[in-house]
Amino acid sequence: MSIDVYATSKIYKQNLVHSWMTSIQETICGDEKRSSLVTWPRIKLRNDLVPMTTAERRFIRASLYQSIHRIWGFPFIHDKTPLTSQAADGQAILTVAETSYRHFYDGRGCILVNPSNWELYEYAVINTVDSAIQITLASNLIGSWPVGTYVYPMYEYRIEEMQEINVSIKQLNYITLAATEVMESLRSFSYSLPSSGAPTYNSLDLFLTKPQYPATENYMHPFEHIVFFGKDFATSVYDKTRFVFNLDFIIVSRADVWDLLNFFDSKRGRFQVFYMPSWNNDIVPTAAIAADAVTLTVETLYLSSAEIIGRHLWIRLPDQSYVCREITAVPTSTSITINSSIGTAISQTNLSKMLICFLNKVRFNSDEILLEYTADLIAKTKLKFKVVW
């Protein structure tokens, strides 16, 4: 499949989505049967363009008029990397600053764009990403590209059949092009699920990226309340309250952005479960803790023993290290017993530097992760997590 249109006009803001597809069947007891319906994530982009020059405004209008129904190509601008050696016509080797933590893959597309003139570009298919600084193309270049030329990942997309340009003044136009990756021919690339790279507990990954505030917690326990002339009647088929956490994250390095995408993709969106701390003070210790202690004195527990025993804890120690433990008993309303000691003595004065929270078994509650980029190395995202039983 050929790309009919190259959307290389200046993109001043671009958001990225990795999209999976999961089918879920849930029982009234909260048990789930999940099926992953695709084997690699589709890419979606939201491109905000402000065509400033006359040429840019004419280019985008002509593109929409001629090719709104065709395949579009969008460079992923936050994954750009410059050439560090000239790429001459007739050669297939690109020597770049870095290929790591970017959407360069064997068999996928890329585009070379002159950083001072967006009308000068060349599209190519990647044969292999050879190293952190070298890309080999599937065919030789037909133009010569100097040091400093930007190389971007470039995929095939379709946009919606109706588009709108907002004209603030004649010289200032705005347009947003939401693009979804297309797979209208047999793919020529291979995809393997990435490793999450995360630490594990009880054979499940730990998601320990600290969220920002504010956060939202949703509690759901549907019930039916019948009121007529006589005594009221209430009933529910649910035996557990369902929890969903909505959390915001700010990621401030390219490596961390890539790690987050890899974690999400390793779970195939909503398909697989993992552990995540609640980040709340669910258990608050009130007395010094000996290194070998297994019974902790805590503030009043408002949950019943049956609701606490068997739950897992994430315990952040004053030095910012952590351990995970299971609650095995609740001797009193102000004490818990864990399956093994934390191995570190905590003085009374250091108790406030601890965080003991429930370690929930969760899955993502959406098949899509949206990264809102504020710079090449800084991205914001909102993620939803559902507690599973």
Side-chain angles (χ1 to χ4, degrees):
M1 179 184 297
S2 62
I3 299 178
D4 295 300
V5 177
Y6 296 100
T8 52
S9 184
K10 292 180 181 177
I11 301 172
Y12 84 93
K13 182 180 180 182
Q14 188 179 64
N15 295 335
L16 168 76
V17 171
H18 279 204
S19 180
W20 290 87
M21 187 180 296
T22 305
S23 173
I24 298 179
Q25 296 173 299
E26 184 177 7
T27 71
I28 60 175
C29 298
D31 299 320
E32 293 182 345
K33 179 181 179 181
R34 297 179 296 275
S35 302
S36 183
L37 305 181
V38 296
T39 56
W40 73 94
R42 300 291 175 91
I43 305 298
K44 299 180 181 179
L45 296 178
R46 176 188 167 97
N47 306 279
D48 293 342
L49 290 81
V50 183
M52 298 290 291
T53 67
T54 300
E56 290 171 349
R57 293 194 295 272
R58 287 188 290 108
F59 170 80
I60 195 64
R61 283 175 167 80
S63 297
L64 291 174
Y65 183 79
Q66 296 172 337
S67 306
I68 195 172
H69 60 292
R70 298 178 181 169
I71 302 297
W72 287 60
F74 291 94
F76 184 41
I77 61 174
H78 298 293
D79 276 3
K80 65 179 179 290
T81 185
L83 290 178
T84 56
S85 297
Q86 181 188 22
D89 62 343
Q91 76 173 56
I93 302 296
L94 304 181
T95 304
V96 298
E98 189 176 13
T99 62
S100 302
Y101 312 126
R102 292 165 171 84
H103 288 75
F104 292 114
Y105 292 105
D106 298 355
R108 305 304 296 264
C110 69
I111 190 170
L112 295 87
V113 181
N114 187 311
S116 59
N117 185 351
W118 58 269
E119 293 183 284
L120 300 177
Y121 57 84
E122 182 172 346
Y123 175 78
V125 175
I126 297 172
N127 185 47
T128 54
V129 180
D130 303 313
S131 68
I133 60 170
Q134 182 173 296
I135 296 172
T136 299
L137 304 177
S139 57
N140 293 333
L141 294 168
I142 59 174
S144 292
W145 299 94
V147 172
T149 297
Y150 285 136
V151 183
Y152 302 84
M154 181 84 143
Y155 297 170
E156 301 170 351
Y157 301 89
R158 284 201 181 273
I159 63 173
E160 292 297 321
E161 61 188 20
M162 294 186 64
Q163 297 294 332
E164 179 179 271
I165 297 177
N166 294 306
V167 183
S168 179
I169 57 175
K170 183 172 66 175
Q171 292 79 16
L172 188 58
N173 296 179
Y174 298 91
I175 183 170
T176 296
L177 296 175
T180 301
E181 185 183 6
V182 297
M183 297 291 174
E184 297 178 7
S185 62
L186 292 177
R187 61 178 182 171
S188 58
F189 61 92
S190 60
Y191 179 83
S192 299
L193 281 176
S195 168
S196 70
T200 61
Y201 171 68
N202 282 353
S203 301
L204 291 179
D205 286 340
L206 287 165
F207 185 78
L208 300 179
T209 303
K210 188 175 181 179
Q212 304 292 312
Y213 291 99
T216 304
E217 301 174 11
N218 295 318
Y219 297 79
M220 183 182 69
H221 197 132
F223 64 93
E224 185 177 10
H225 184 204
I226 301 174
V227 181
F228 201 53
F229 292 122
K231 188 177 179 181
D232 294 0
F233 175 76
T235 185
S236 175
V237 296
Y238 277 33
D239 64 348
K240 295 184 178 71
T241 298
R242 314 299 166 88
F243 301 93
V244 175
F245 299 92
N246 302 304
L247 302 174
D248 291 354
F249 299 87
I250 298 178
I251 315 300
V252 294
S253 77
R254 189 180 294 278
D256 288 345
V257 168
W258 199 251
D259 287 345
L260 178 61
L261 286 174
N262 281 345
F263 190 97
F264 185 82
D265 289 339
S266 74
K267 301 297 168 279
R268 287 178 274 180
R270 298 184 294 166
F271 181 61
Q272 289 185 327
V273 298
F274 51 95
Y275 280 119
M276 185 188 73
S278 70
W279 298 103
N280 294 319
N281 295 97
D282 296 314
I283 303 293
V284 181
T286 58
I289 303 172
D292 59 352
V294 293
T295 298
L296 311 182
T297 302
V298 298
E299 288 184 356
T300 302
L301 301 168
Y302 295 105
L303 296 173
S304 68
S305 298
E307 293 168 321
I308 295 179
I309 294 174
R311 298 191 72 169
H312 299 273
L313 299 175
W314 186 73
I315 304 173
R316 188 181 66 195
L317 304 175
D319 65 358
Q320 301 303 301
S321 63
Y322 69 88
V323 295
C324 300
R325 296 293 185 265
E326 181 182 354
I327 299 175
T328 57
V330 181
T332 68
S333 63
T334 57
S335 64
I336 61 170
T337 300
I338 54 180
N339 61 328
S340 64
S341 66
I342 62 175
T344 301
I346 309 296
S347 66
Q348 185 78 32
T349 57
N350 279 335
L351 291 178
S352 61
K353 299 177 182 178
M354 295 182 69
L355 175 63
I356 305 179
C357 55
F358 291 131
L359 187 62
N360 296 302
K361 184 185 292 185
V362 302
R363 60 166 172 79
F364 290 110
N365 205 35
S366 172
D367 276 327
E368 293 190 347
I369 181 172
L370 166 65
L371 295 181
E372 300 182 46
Y373 281 84
T374 57
D376 285 349
L377 308 180
I378 303 175
K380 298 187 297 182
T381 187
K382 297 178 180 291
L383 295 175
K384 297 181 179 180
F385 307 85
K386 182 174 182 180
V387 176
V388 298
W389 307 102

